[in-house]
Amino acid sequence: MLSVSQASEQLGVSPARVRALIMAQSLPARKCGRNWVLREEDVLARLTQRPRAGRPLIQPVEKHVDQEAPEKARELYRQCRDHFQHCPSSALIAAAESQEEASFYMAVADFFLQQRQADLIARGVF
């Protein structure tokens, strides 16, 4: 059995780091009175793992991928294009529940206006 300070010497880290490893359950230990004791086998196993210096790498979290997302986005685009073929009416802007919603309407309408202008320029009309 090793004390925290003995384990820290073997691992080449501070006693505070050994206590942090114990609290994170990365290094098995038992409480003996007020002190922690570690099995020498566990300390040697930690040495053979050769943990890297610095913070541990963050493991990527698997995110749920909505397979229908591209089609849903296309449908949203089509609906916005159809709805905002002309500048949004002042009634639509006034009916917005928030400034963010009103800004969204203006930004989407502006996008489609720019697309129409680019099309006219490409055709040599404008």
Side-chain angles (χ1 to χ4, degrees):
M1 299 303 270
L2 300 173
S3 68
V4 169
S5 60
Q6 292 169 327
S8 70
E9 288 175 15
Q10 284 192 5
L11 294 172
V13 297
S14 70
R17 178 66 182 141
V18 172
R19 284 188 209 90
L21 291 170
I22 293 169
M23 293 301 145
Q25 298 180 348
S26 298
L27 189 59
R30 276 189 309 178
K31 196 83 159 154
C32 184
R34 291 180 17 175
N35 301 317
W36 288 101
V37 290
L38 300 95
R39 291 184 341 157
E40 192 167 358
E41 297 85 23
D42 293 329
V43 173
L44 292 175
R46 175 82 183 173
L47 273 174
T48 59
Q49 289 175 357
R50 295 185 171 220
R52 294 181 180 182
R55 291 185 174 192
L57 296 175
I58 296 174
Q59 298 298 323
V61 177
E62 292 262 341
K63 293 184 179 178
H64 172 70
V65 178
D66 184 359
Q67 298 297 326
E68 297 176 5
E71 187 54 41
K72 288 178 182 177
R74 283 187 200 97
E75 182 59 30
L76 176 62
Y77 164 76
R78 289 182 199 112
Q79 289 175 0
C80 287
R81 183 191 62 209
D82 295 343
H83 192 73
F84 291 101
Q85 280 192 352
H86 306 287
C87 289
S89 67
S90 58
L92 178 65
I93 300 299
E97 293 179 356
S98 67
Q99 180 60 44
E100 181 181 40
E101 183 181 350
S103 296
F104 170 78
Y105 295 150
M106 293 302 296
V108 172
D110 188 48
F111 169 79
F112 287 111
L113 177 62
Q114 290 175 7
Q115 295 302 307
R116 285 192 299 275
Q117 288 173 340
D119 181 50
L120 290 172
I121 292 169
R123 293 188 317 184
V125 175
F126 184 61

